[in-house]
Amino acid sequence: RQVSLRDQLRIGLKAYTPKDKAFVNRVVDLVERGVLPRNLVDSTFLWARKNAVSRRGRNPLRPIVYFETALILRAKRLGISLD
């Protein structure tokens, strides 16, 4: 059974707040419309999860914190606005 992109991002990135969920919904919509490349989202997802657990001696931030910032910057390089 395959998990939907929306569920992957919400659960995997610990997107709990309404702001987090709205960002995830926007990303999913752009991927489904073919505006935002899925491989860009997937690679950013994996990077964010890795960085969220690698903060030495401190409580890790939720992966969504890393994901949102990184994806906005990476998409901007492609001329895609996520703001």
Side-chain angles (χ1 to χ4, degrees), residues 1-75:
R1 187 174 78 147
Q2 189 166 351
V3 177
S4 71
L5 177 59
R6 180 173 279 106
D7 288 342
Q8 172 190 327
L9 296 177
R10 280 190 180 170
I11 295 165
L13 298 173
K14 299 181 182 178
Y16 302 135
T17 69
K19 178 183 173 284
D20 294 344
K21 290 177 182 177
F23 184 76
V24 166
N25 288 337
R26 175 140 172 76
V27 168
V28 170
D29 179 55
L30 291 173
V31 169
E32 288 175 349
R33 291 190 298 142
V35 175
L36 189 63
R38 171 73 187 254
N39 65 344
L40 182 74
V41 174
D42 287 339
S43 62
T44 309
F45 171 82
L46 293 172
W47 175 85
R49 285 180 49 91
K50 178 183 168 210
N51 278 304
V53 298
S54 67
R55 296 178 68 204
R56 287 176 263 151
R58 294 186 271 170
N59 291 333
L61 294 174
R62 293 177 303 125
I64 187 74
V65 174
Y66 295 96
F67 178 79
E68 185 174 354
T69 303
L71 190 62
I72 288 170
L73 291 173
R74 293 180 79 195

